Amino acid sequence: MSGHMRDDVEVSRNSNQDRYEIRVGGELAGTAEYEDAPDAVALTHTVVREEFRHQGYSSMLVRFAAEDIIASGRRIKPYCSYAASYLGKHRELSHHVSWPQEAL
């Protein structure tokens, strides 16, 4: 598979389970767990199942989560190492990020 998005990929927010989900062909491929706060949303854990790794799904998932959080008017707090790495590389999102160590 090349780097472009496949048409059988769906990313959504599952508010009941406090996570974002990515499905490939209807099958749950990965999740990004979050914790809601009034001013920010903490991304706490991102995981993509073994058979779906290295295909760009983690970045699709974190990008969708970041854009959803920004659209809600809150800031992103990346406690998850993958989310922190992704957000660190995508400077266009940096003014929406509150790095956890800054809160100390």
Side-chain angles (χ1 to χ4, degrees), residues 15 19-20 30 33 46-48 50 61 65 72-73 82 103:
S15 300
R19 69 187 192 183
Y20 291 92
E33 296 171 12
T46 302
V47 63
V48 170
E50 188 74 44
L61 189 54
S72 77
Y82 181 83

Side-chain angles (χ1 to χ4, degrees), residues 14-19 21 33-34:
N14 182 337
S15 300
N16 294 330
Q17 295 190 26
D18 292 336
R19 69 187 192 183
E21 299 175 340
E33 296 171 12
Y34 66 85

